[in-house]
């Protein structure tokens, strides 16, 4: 095979892989949004076949031959071709290390586990879900041992979601946050608290739905290519940069829950929608890592969405949806959505406590994967850590260990990305402010200059650069978690008038 043949074949393979992912993603989206409860078994069969095809495309003899040929011509490849080749070779080595039957069985297991998890969460019945989680943990440990026998298994899993991340880096990162932010939180909870009762004024789901549509327009999401669905656990799914779906939920007595989830998922969607056209339907055509993804979503949700300026801007639209709010000032609303309050649910947590929810999961995942604890012991350990770090008592597993969908979907090693992403975002904001008057833009609801800055420095590159390199190029400096610490200290001083 010569280089030109290899290039042509690579292009065909990428098209086919994208088609396979599109089909599987659509089935998963349907499972989460519309599919009747008892359809998981039939869908599982289809997913197993499709994932087998995907496996063959990515790890079959033809893929091997093409990648071998490209690897021999590394010097002649463009930077994008080199990156694709490196990524695909790494992926191929991983897939080759895992027997195809195990790979297929795992896809079927997580499909079923998601359905069981939903039922378990509804009924707060951890015992129902535990055997599935035990198998998922076991499979992840086994895959790690097969693929990366010289690495600690959890280091292998962390790298899957954030290329280059390992426990050593995570430990340093979380220690920095703990050192500077735990004392800050201890100080904040002693202070007179903003009144949050106004956040629980009833707003009917239909009105929240109209608000969600409006928010998507304000963020600058292209509605021709970005849909909105309803699920218990909000998420973003991209089939390609031309078809991105976000979801939200509507709680009548908690309208900001939907509002901030739409802004969060909107941040994910903007990233996907604005990767460069030239990377579409290739290996580089999506966001590079979960950490960078969360740096975008949490940036929109918190650094922008919970700013005094944006809350002031959106206040009239909110009072339209919820007339009772007009008895309160925008300032009161802004302080309410920024209250530091140790609580039970990660996705509802404020910025001052959020990373502690992640820290709990990080420590538990580490212990589960190292075998130090078993899935049977998990709820007790979970509840202990929530008491220790957040000072809250978990009333039942629905509000505890069963709250997130990640483990049911087989995503172990994902959680640290949320905290890292928040910290990346704070440094991006500081850099952005050198050239964009961010808060003036927010005060008039003008996201165009902000979006343009991120599109130029982050979004358009898709997966071309590894996360640390992408970030360093955008920032002109290495990542430094102290930007996040300082951002939170400054915000605390504002919200609490310190
Ligand atoms: Mg997210």
């Amino acid at each position: 095979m010569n280089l030109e043949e290899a290039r042509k074949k690579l292009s065909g393979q990428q098209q086919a892989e994208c088609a396979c992912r599109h089909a599987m993603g659509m089935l998963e989206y349907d499972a989460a949004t519309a599919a009747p409860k008892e359809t998981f078994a039939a869908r599982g069969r289809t997913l197993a076949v499709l994932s087998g095809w995907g496996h063959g495309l990515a790890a079959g003899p033809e893929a091997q031959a093409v990648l071998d040929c490209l690897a021999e011509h590394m010097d002649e490849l463009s930077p994008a071709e080199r990156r694709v080749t490196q990524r695909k070779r790494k992926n191929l080595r991983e897939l080759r290390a895992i027997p195809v039957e195990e790979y297929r069985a795992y896809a079927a297991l997580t499909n079923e586990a998601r359905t069981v998890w939903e039922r378990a969460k509804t009924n707060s019945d951890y015992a129902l879900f535990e055997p599935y989680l035990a198998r998922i943990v076991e499979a992840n440990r086994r895959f790690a041992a097969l693929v990366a026998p010289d690495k600690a298994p959890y280091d292998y899993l962390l790298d899957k979601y954030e290329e280059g991340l390992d426990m050593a880096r995570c430990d340093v990162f979380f220690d920095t946050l703990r050192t500077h932010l735990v004392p800050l939180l201890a100080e904040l909870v002693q202070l007179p608290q903003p009144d949050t009762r106004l956040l629980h004024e009833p707003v009917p789901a239909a009105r929240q739905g109209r608000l969600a549509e409006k928010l998507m327009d304000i963020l600058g999401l292209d509605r021709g290519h970005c849909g909105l669905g309803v699920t218990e656990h909000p998420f973003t799914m991209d089939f390609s940069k031309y078809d991105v779906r976000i979801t939200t939920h509507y709680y009548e007595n908690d309208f900001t829950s939907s509002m901030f989830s739409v802004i969060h998922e909107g941040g994910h969607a903007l990233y996907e929608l604005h990767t460069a056209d030239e990377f579409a339907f290739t290996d580089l055509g999506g966001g590079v890592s979960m950490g960078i993804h969360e740096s975008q979503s949490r940036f929109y949700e918190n650094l922008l969405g919970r700013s005094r300026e944006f809350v002031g801007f959106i206040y009239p639209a909110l009072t339209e949806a919820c007339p009772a709010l007009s008895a309160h000032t925008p300032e009161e609303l802004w302080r309410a959505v920024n209250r530091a309050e140790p609580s039970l649910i990660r996705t509802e947590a404020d910025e001052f406590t959020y990373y502690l929810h992640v820290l709990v999961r990080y420590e538990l995942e580490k212990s589960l994967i190292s075998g130090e604890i078993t899935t049977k012991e998990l709820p007790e350990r979970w509840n202990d850590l929530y008491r220790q770090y957040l000072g809250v008592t978990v009333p039942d597993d629905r509000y505890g260990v069963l709250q997130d969908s990640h483990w049911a979907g087989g995503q172990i090693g994902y959680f640290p990305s949320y905290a890292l992403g928040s910290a990346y975002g704070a440094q991006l904001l500081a850099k952005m402010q050198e050239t964009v008057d961010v808060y003036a833009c927010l005060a008039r609801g003008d996201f165009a200059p902000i979006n343009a800055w991120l599109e130029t420095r982050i979004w358009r590159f898709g997966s071309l650069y590894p996360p640390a390199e992408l970030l360093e190029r955008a920032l002109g400096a290495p990542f430094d978690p102290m930007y996040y610490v300082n951002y939170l200290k400054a915000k605390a001083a504002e919200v609490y008038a310190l």
Side-chain angles (χ1 to χ4, degrees), residues 86-147:
Q86 284 157 351
R87 278 166 60 94
K88 291 185 84 59
R89 290 181 86 203
K90 181 179 176 193
N91 187 38
L92 182 141
R93 275 195 300 274
E94 294 197 10
L95 292 174
R96 281 277 173 96
I98 300 168
V100 67
E101 325 72 71
E102 287 188 42
Y103 180 84
R104 273 221 281 261
Y106 184 67
L109 170 64
T110 52
N111 173 57
E112 193 178 344
R114 264 192 294 263
T115 304
V116 173
W117 164 76
E118 261 181 48
R119 210 178 315 142
K121 184 179 171 184
T122 305
N123 302 320
S124 195
D125 184 359
Y126 178 73
L128 185 66
F129 177 57
E130 188 275 329
Y132 290 85
L133 184 58
R135 284 165 64 197
I136 287 170
V137 168
E138 205 33 60
N140 275 280
R141 281 157 53 101
R142 179 165 160 76
F143 292 167
L146 288 169
V147 175

Side-chain angles (χ1 to χ4, degrees), residues 420-441:
L420 268 177
S422 304
Y424 293 166
Q427 198 170 347
L428 284 167
L429 176 64
K431 185 71 186 170
M432 187 186 290
Q433 283 179 296
E434 291 176 9
T435 50
V436 179
D437 192 345
V438 176
Y439 292 112
C441 290

